Amino acid sequence: MKTILGRRSAQKFDASYTMSQDVFFSMLHKLIPENTLPWDIWGFEHRVHPVFFIHRITGMAPGIYILPRGPSIQKNHFRSEFLWEKIGPLILLAKTDCRKAAKTLCCHQSIASESCFSLGMLAEFTILKSNPWRYRQLHWESGLMGQILYLEAEAAGLRGTGIGCFFDDTFHEFLGVSNHELQSVYHFTVGKPLLDSRITTLPPYSSLHSGE
């Protein structure tokens, strides 16, 4: 409960901090569809797949990775020159310093490049051909993944923040996605926060503690 009540969005990150690989893979494990919370209450197929921009994680090469959360993600969706090497649950697409790209894709926001990693979520828009109403469902799924990352980061003594401003078409072009089968719906970032003392912080949910 303390983690939930204390959850905050980071405004700035320590660009010199390196995340433990164990912490990172623990976060990934919570994103993988399994019959455990919160995915045991998700009654639909998993249609959202995060693409990671890894900046500073121990034992991992900086670069672009993807976490396929279902069988629909295939090589032919992306650039032919991608490596497609399996590393744990991830697939390494390219080894590269991707900080500048991450920042540019997220409307030039430094929170995407100074964190330990950032990510963009690709949703399967193919399901909308027969069920247009499921557009909002894709956003529910991406939002649930974001909340998991928020809480996992907080529990690890780190902090995350959702990124609502991003260049979706540029992100698609960057990955080689050339049709509307996959579309960017949400971005996120995690790292060690730097607190801005100019910002006033009030106790969360004060009404719950005052008995109102």
Side-chain angles (χ1 to χ4, degrees):
M1 181 61 73
K2 181 180 179 181
T3 299
I4 295 174
L5 294 179
R7 198 273 283 174
R8 293 289 186 277
S9 294
Q11 288 84 41
K12 186 176 178 61
F13 291 104
D14 182 347
S16 65
Y17 179 81
T18 299
M19 179 184 292
S20 159
Q21 187 178 119
D22 290 341
V23 170
F24 177 62
F25 275 94
S26 176
M27 291 182 183
L28 287 186
H29 179 72
K30 299 300 194 307
L31 299 180
I32 297 173
E34 292 185 344
N35 191 30
T36 55
L37 281 172
W39 301 116
D40 57 346
I41 62 172
W42 183 256
F44 310 97
E45 292 183 22
H46 299 274
R47 301 285 189 173
V48 180
H49 313 274
V51 175
F52 289 88
F53 295 85
I54 302 297
H55 306 316
R56 293 179 313 282
I57 296 176
T58 56
M60 294 190 69
I64 307 162
Y65 299 72
I66 188 169
L67 177 66
R69 300 177 65 251
S72 300
I73 293 296
Q74 302 294 330
K75 286 184 180 181
N76 60 4
H77 291 136
F78 303 94
R79 291 186 178 277
S80 59
E81 62 266 31
F82 280 158
L83 300 175
W84 216 255
E85 295 179 4
K86 188 167 178 57
I87 299 179
L90 293 169
I91 292 174
L92 171 62
L93 300 180
K95 293 181 181 180
T96 182
D97 182 344
C98 50
R99 289 174 295 178
K100 183 177 180 180
K103 180 178 179 179
T104 300
L105 292 171
C106 291
C107 300
H108 307 284
Q109 298 179 80
S110 59
I111 54 173
S113 60
E114 294 179 347
S115 59
C116 294
F117 70 86
S118 62
L119 61 122
M121 301 184 191
L122 290 176
E124 299 177 24
F125 269 40
T126 50
I127 65 171
L128 305 183
K129 294 179 180 179
S130 56
N131 295 284
W133 67 271
R134 296 184 71 178
Y135 175 77
R136 60 183 178 180
Q137 185 187 95
L138 296 175
H139 287 271
W140 294 341
E141 185 175 357
S142 62
L144 181 54
M145 291 172 64
Q147 291 301 326
I148 291 171
L149 289 171
Y150 264 124
L151 296 178
E152 288 298 310
E154 201 76 29
L158 304 173
R159 191 150 284 179
T161 188
I163 301 177
C165 180
F166 50 87
F167 300 123
D168 47 1
D169 287 341
T170 308
F171 184 47
H172 303 150
E173 182 181 355
F174 180 79
L175 297 173
V177 175
S178 58
N179 54 43
H180 289 88
E181 292 183 8
L182 296 172
Q183 293 287 290
S184 176
V185 292
Y186 188 34
H187 285 240
F188 204 89
T189 186
V190 174
K192 185 175 182 179
L194 293 176
L195 300 181
D196 189 337
S197 60
R198 297 171 299 176
I199 298 176
T200 300
T201 299
L202 301 175
Y205 309 102
S206 56
S207 62
L208 296 180
H209 300 291
S210 64
E212 294 180 8

